[in-house]
Amino acid sequence: MKQLTKSLVQIAVASGIVFGALTPLTASAAPALKWEKCAGTGLDPRQQCAVLDVPMDYADPSGPSIEIAVSRIVSEKPAARRGTLFLIPGGPGGSSLDDPSGKGQKLPQEVRDAYDLIGFAPRGLAPSTPVDCGLERGDLSLTASRPWPAADGSVDANMATARRMAEACERNGGELLKHLSTRNEARDLDRLRAALGERRISAWGVSYGTYVGAVYAELFPGRTDRFVLDSNDDPDPTRVARAWLAGHEQGVEDTFPEFAKWASSPGNPYRVAATAAEVRPKFLELAARLDREPLPWPGANPAELNGNMLRQAMLSSLYDPDDFPALAQLMLAADQGTVPPAPASPPDAVLQNVSAVGAGTLCNDVAWPTSTAVYQKEVEESRAKFPLTAGMPRNAMVCAAWPYTPQEPPVRVTGRGPSNILLVQNERDVATPVSGALKLREALGRRAVMVTVNSTGHDAYLDNGNACGDATVSRFLATGKRPATDLYCR
């Protein structure tokens, strides 16, 4: 985030707003994008790619610039074209650069006719100008970036890991790392809007992308058309990502019973218990056993199946019911003292980049506590109330030792602006539970309508939702028609 050291007018111009009015789309403010064939394989041949230059520091718009990689597939029916649909990825650390060729092609024909589909790699994420903290390989594991307390509940080792990772980021991250933030991603998207020659944009934001979309709608309300926010983050401006992580406690409680029913169903080749009621205690007992007696796990990082690796596998598998078999197979193998092959991992270079973008954004958005005692108390409370997640959602991550102070306060999402936002939310979502989505719904007030879907999994629209929810979102994108009030899709 940027320190506001420039004059009010300079800041307003850099943000694209002058006292609430839209700044003109001038050639100097919005240089034309040069569209070319995209690099890579497996892409729709219609997809084009370009590079957008944006200020690294919006408080110094004439200073160094960085590149944002963007992509598009243009409207399939120019006569029906309404504008652009920005595909805002999750993360932080996710990219939508390939999404016009991927999930964008799941959109109904009338939506693909109405919009140019726009993807991008957010600032810091390759092939945009990249960042890299040069972390030790062990710190690239999920159990380091999303740390679990020790078996006895201690967070001392987690604080040591946070300091080591933060020191590496300070040493190797470079100037750009200081300027990763949700507010700046929203500003980048507004620069992209201007470069595309659009006065308004529509958007489909997923997971962390719902927060990006909400922040954009708060900063640039007059530049929003139809906004779909899918699998929604709690926008609490006092906690931001700390609230998202804490949400995993309830998300697991909401979702684990679905796994338990599946994992105990007769005829299931990966059945782990005779009844659903037995699955939870079996998982807890197995995790405790692996805390005491880890199993070697060649190819994994770390290379052992301990209790926290099982807990992390549980959390990852609950994102999508299609992944339930992977968790069940791991439980069955571990119960017999064996391990399945370690799941494939992205290359270390990719993990370095994604880890740096995630850390930079989460830690720059809001100041985190730095006291070990604060995290220890929170973890103890969490472990007592939510044994499945064992304190992880309130634990100390790299932000507990982050070397930089947030340069701007978090954005407070409000109901000020046009009523053109549709929230879609699965009732059972491990990563963005409905309890947090309701807080975003409340913050947006009259601007939004919320569709709650009776389904399980992360990402609702055209993925883990249901036909009612999908039809409601598609109709809104294609025609602008929303339900008159909040809707429950059975």
Side-chain angles (χ1 to χ4, degrees):
M1 303 303 241
K2 310 302 178 279
Q3 183 65 42
L4 299 182
T5 56
K6 305 297 180 182
S7 71
L8 178 60
V9 173
Q10 285 175 302
I11 296 167
V13 171
S15 300
I17 299 179
V18 178
F19 306 119
L22 296 184
T23 55
L25 298 181
T26 64
S28 59
L33 295 169
K34 182 181 178 182
W35 294 104
E36 299 177 334
K37 179 179 173 59
C38 297
T41 59
L43 299 175
D44 190 303
R46 297 170 300 166
Q47 181 170 308
Q48 302 170 302
C49 288
V51 172
L52 173 71
D53 290 332
V54 301
M56 180 165 65
D57 183 351
Y58 278 94
D60 183 16
S62 61
S65 65
I66 59 172
E67 293 183 341
I68 303 295
V70 300
S71 63
R72 74 173 180 183
I73 291 180
V74 299
S75 161
E76 297 181 25
K77 188 177 181 181
R81 183 185 182 278
R82 179 179 180 85
T84 59
L85 180 67
F86 280 34
L87 307 175
I88 307 179
S95 171
S96 64
L97 197 62
D98 293 345
D99 283 356
S101 293
K103 65 185 260 183
Q105 297 308 303
K106 291 176 154 184
L107 290 162
Q109 186 66 53
E110 59 268 28
V111 177
R112 302 199 311 273
D113 289 344
Y115 300 100
D116 297 346
L117 306 180
I118 306 296
F120 64 98
R123 62 167 48 210
L125 191 69
S128 298
T129 304
V131 293
D132 188 323
C133 286
L135 300 175
E136 296 179 10
R137 188 172 188 280
D139 291 337
L140 295 176
S141 71
L142 266 176
T143 51
S145 61
R146 184 186 278 164
W148 298 78
D152 63 358
S154 169
V155 303
D156 290 342
N158 303 130
M159 288 296 291
T161 298
R163 287 189 289 271
R164 182 175 63 250
M165 294 174 70
E167 288 166 2
C169 287
E170 184 176 28
R171 184 169 59 249
N172 304 315
E175 186 67 19
L176 175 54
L177 189 66
K178 304 175 187 177
H179 300 288
L180 302 180
S181 69
T182 303
R183 192 187 287 259
N184 281 338
E185 183 172 333
R187 288 168 172 149
D188 292 343
L189 294 184
D190 201 57
R191 287 293 180 113
L192 178 55
R193 172 204 58 79
L196 292 166
E198 301 289 334
R199 293 199 66 81
R200 297 187 299 168
I201 63 169
S202 294
W204 173 17
V206 178
S207 194
Y208 166 68
T210 64
Y211 183 61
V212 177
V215 167
Y216 184 93
E218 186 68 27
L219 297 180
F220 308 103
R223 295 173 181 169
T224 61
D225 188 10
R226 298 170 184 168
F227 266 50
V228 171
L229 304 182
D230 173 359
S231 306
N232 297 275
D233 276 321
D234 180 348
D236 182 352
T238 66
R239 303 179 73 200
V240 193
R242 289 184 64 216
W244 307 341
L245 288 172
H248 283 89
E249 295 171 335
Q250 189 58 51
V252 167
E253 292 297 329
D254 293 343
T255 309
F256 192 89
E258 296 300 306
F259 169 73
K261 285 190 289 186
W262 174 89
S264 59
S265 57
N268 184 343
Y270 307 116
R271 194 180 192 192
V272 301
T275 67
E278 295 174 274
V279 176
R280 180 185 178 106
K282 186 173 186 65
F283 176 86
L284 292 172
E285 186 278 327
L286 184 57
R289 188 198 315 170
L290 291 169
D291 282 336
R292 299 187 301 269
E293 302 173 2
L295 298 171
W297 202 5
N301 184 15
E304 66 174 21
L305 178 58
N306 55 35
N308 285 338
M309 288 286 277
L310 179 67
R311 296 179 184 102
Q312 181 58 57
M314 177 268 295
L315 187 63
S316 298
S317 296
L318 295 186
Y319 273 64
D320 189 328
D322 289 345
D323 295 332
F324 286 179
L327 175 58
Q329 290 176 72
L330 183 60
M331 290 178 63
L332 290 168
D335 197 36
Q336 298 299 316
T338 63
V339 292
S345 175
D348 284 0
V350 172
L351 293 176
Q352 288 282 7
N353 184 211
V354 170
S355 296
V357 172
T361 306
L362 298 179
C363 303
N364 290 338
D365 266 0
V366 69
W368 290 54
T370 58
S371 165
T372 302
V374 168
Y375 292 104
Q376 189 65 65
K377 180 175 182 294
E378 288 283 311
V379 163
E380 289 171 0
E381 293 177 357
S382 181
R383 287 168 68 87
K385 294 179 182 178
F386 304 97
L388 284 171
T389 45
M392 181 281 293
R394 300 194 217 175
N395 197 12
M397 59 175 287
V398 61
C399 299
W402 197 241
Y404 309 116
T405 300
Q407 296 179 22
E408 294 177 282
V411 173
R412 179 178 292 276
V413 175
T414 72
R416 294 188 294 269
S419 182
N420 59 1
I421 299 173
L422 179 66
L423 310 184
V424 59
Q425 177 69 41
N426 279 349
E427 199 166 20
R428 296 169 296 280
D429 182 332
V430 68
T432 55
V434 70
S435 53
L438 287 169
K439 293 178 181 177
L440 180 58
R441 172 69 186 88
E442 180 181 9
L444 288 166
R446 67 169 190 85
R447 297 195 67 184
V449 170
M450 181 164 161
V451 179
T452 303
V453 180
N454 179 17
S455 192
T456 301
H458 192 50
D459 299 358
Y461 180 48
L462 303 181
D463 194 355
N464 288 314
N466 65 21
C468 165
D470 289 352
T472 303
V473 175
S474 295
R475 183 168 54 250
F476 171 62
L477 287 174
T479 70
K481 294 179 180 178
R482 291 185 315 177
T485 60
D486 290 353
L487 175 67
Y488 183 71
C489 275
R490 295 190 183 278

